[in-house]
Amino acid sequence: TICLKGRLRTPRINHCHGCGMIIQRLRNRNFCNGQCYLYWKRVLRFCDQILIGDDCWLWMGKSYDGRARFTRQLGASLFSYRLFRGSIPSGYFVCHTCDNGICVNPSHLFLGTPKDNTADMIRKQRHRFGDNHQNAKYTADLICRAVTAYKNSTAPQRQIAIKFGINVVVFNKIVNHRAWTHLDLGLK
């Protein structure tokens, strides 16, 4: 028992809402220190901005370029992963299995290296390539016509490339299957 303001009182054993540490609860204190209190406030603010659906948990807070932002420096999916799954080793990204940039459902998040993230993007065909790329100068139709003309003639690559308005180096890469590899040009 503890004497508090002239009264004998038995302290209640409780757990800190922030870190789970055992504390003696006196005077309605639910946290072991101010840092745990601030962290808990942050968690509550995070949870207030989630719309839990059947599958994805949609972030209703700020987003930038299709990606959910919890704070200026911290993405919402990153905070969700840390909150529900644990720490993130350096050099790893938090990736989405659902490919929804505003989803913060921890079961849709996994860790991956930058290489894993790029491989996942290519496997799901979410990357821009060919005429869908923002810097594309040629269309798939033009490339197919130029390669067909090259296969059906004895003219050198340079002459075919100039005839179709394609850079000679780029056309060489296409013929040697190092560029525009997503097209089935029958050159292997």
Side-chain angles (χ1 to χ4, degrees):
T1 58
I2 296 176
C3 182
L4 187 65
K5 291 186 181 176
R7 291 181 286 176
L8 290 177
R9 227 172 121 186
T10 305
R12 287 181 271 166
I13 303 298
N14 212 355
H15 295 276
C16 172
H17 288 326
C19 65
M21 194 171 97
I22 295 176
I23 57 172
Q24 288 186 351
R25 187 172 163 203
L26 295 171
R27 295 190 200 131
N28 296 328
R29 250 183 69 188
N30 296 319
F31 301 94
C32 60
N33 59 32
Q35 188 175 3
C36 280
Y37 172 72
L38 291 176
Y39 176 74
W40 189 250
K41 274 181 65 174
R42 198 174 202 194
V43 168
L44 290 177
R45 188 167 59 92
F46 175 80
C47 292
D48 283 345
Q49 298 181 59
I50 299 173
L51 177 65
I52 298 179
D54 294 337
D55 196 26
C56 289
W57 296 2
L58 301 179
W59 178 252
M60 304 308 289
K62 291 181 182 175
S63 63
Y64 174 74
D65 199 24
R67 297 285 171 201
R69 302 298 304 168
F70 181 48
T71 65
R72 213 177 298 166
Q73 295 88 11
L74 183 63
S77 50
L78 211 71
F79 188 81
S80 178
Y81 190 92
R82 285 182 185 160
L83 179 63
F84 295 107
R85 292 260 182 103
S87 64
I88 301 167
S90 66
Y92 281 84
F93 291 158
V94 174
C95 308
H96 294 83
T97 58
C98 61
D99 297 328
N100 185 351
I102 61 168
C103 176
V104 293
N105 185 343
S107 65
H108 292 187
L109 304 175
F110 67 96
L111 291 180
T113 62
K115 189 175 181 179
D116 296 336
N117 196 28
T118 303
D120 180 55
M121 175 184 69
I122 291 170
R123 186 176 64 253
K124 294 176 181 174
Q125 295 185 349
R126 287 185 293 110
H127 66 299
R128 293 182 179 190
F129 56 91
D131 24 7
N132 291 330
H133 194 275
Q134 66 268 18
N135 295 332
K137 294 181 181 171
Y138 314 115
T139 64
D141 181 54
L142 177 73
I143 298 298
C144 289
R145 285 188 291 126
V147 169
T148 303
Y150 174 70
K151 288 192 311 189
N152 295 334
S153 101
T154 56
Q157 284 181 15
R158 179 180 181 80
Q159 190 177 358
I160 301 288
I162 292 170
K163 178 181 174 186
F164 283 91
I166 300 173
N167 181 296
V168 176
V169 175
V170 172
F171 191 66
N172 181 274
K173 288 180 180 180
I174 293 167
V175 168
N176 292 312
H177 206 65
R178 288 180 297 173
W180 290 76
T181 57
H182 65 284
L183 295 178
D184 184 22
L185 300 170
L187 292 171
K188 289 184 181 180

